[in-house]
Amino acid sequence: MITPAAYRMTGGELTLGAVLARLEEREGEVASQAGATKKQIAQLTAHLNELDRTVEEVRITRKTLLELPDPQPYAPPNLPDHPAYQQIMAADHPLRARRVCEAMDLMVAPNNINSIRLKLKRLTDRGILVETERGLFTQPRPWPSGAAATCRPSRTKEESGINSHNTPRIGYQ
């Protein structure tokens, strides 16, 4: 806005000095607006570049996931043909060779116990059973997410067959 002191009126017209003062004032206003707009453009450009990078990352992730092979459904390993393996796998609790002999109505003799222990070890080698502690076999359980596959469940002394004096119990659980 032009102030009365900025120009003189002669016959209702502006003088050259008043026009120049008004133009200088207007130039300052427009330059200020241009600076603010440039600042907004810089912010929007940075935001647009960030969005473009994110879109590209999503595209790459999608492409990578589409290239992955389809997961195969879980198929339990094949059991050996001997019927003893079927009987062993029917148990739903941790197994010891002696208990398996008893469950299979075999005479509890060292040769039978060793034979069953070898069968349990063979199933462990094939990934069908896991040996949670020495001589104790069980079917693998799914681990909670994030748990390492090498983790073993913790057991109390009572569960592991050790009494308070840290000596093995006579007999099996």
Side-chain angles (χ1 to χ4, degrees), residues 51-100:
L51 291 173
D52 285 342
R53 277 192 304 274
T54 303
V55 165
E56 187 60 27
E57 289 170 358
V58 169
R59 280 187 193 133
I60 290 169
T61 303
R62 183 175 187 273
K63 181 181 176 186
T64 302
L65 290 175
L66 288 173
E67 290 174 356
L68 291 176
D70 288 335
Q72 299 298 320
Y74 174 75
N78 293 334
L79 287 175
D81 292 333
H82 195 278
Y85 291 100
Q86 304 298 328
Q87 289 177 307
I88 290 170
M89 293 307 295
D92 62 348
H93 58 281
L95 306 169
R96 293 200 182 273
R98 180 183 184 99
R99 296 294 278 305
V100 173

Side-chain angles (χ1 to χ4, degrees), residues 108-124:
V108 179
N111 61 342
N112 287 339
I113 293 172
N114 287 333
S115 174
I116 293 297
R117 186 175 295 112
L118 286 173
K119 286 177 175 47
L120 292 168
K121 292 277 189 185
R122 195 170 296 127
L123 291 173
T124 300

Side-chain angles (χ1 to χ4, degrees), residues 6-65:
Y7 63 91
R8 278 192 339 222
M9 285 212 151
T10 9
E13 293 184 23
L14 292 174
T15 63
L16 182 57
V19 170
L20 290 176
R22 175 65 184 125
L23 288 174
E24 189 176 331
E25 188 179 307
R26 179 69 182 138
E27 180 184 1
E29 291 172 359
V30 171
S32 175
Q33 289 176 352
T37 303
K38 285 178 185 178
K39 194 174 189 178
Q40 286 178 338
I41 288 172
Q43 290 172 343
L44 291 172
T45 301
H47 185 66
L48 180 61
N49 289 338
E50 184 179 327
L51 291 173
D52 285 342
R53 277 192 304 274
T54 303
V55 165
E56 187 60 27
E57 289 170 358
V58 169
R59 280 187 193 133
I60 290 169
T61 303
R62 183 175 187 273
K63 181 181 176 186
T64 302
L65 290 175

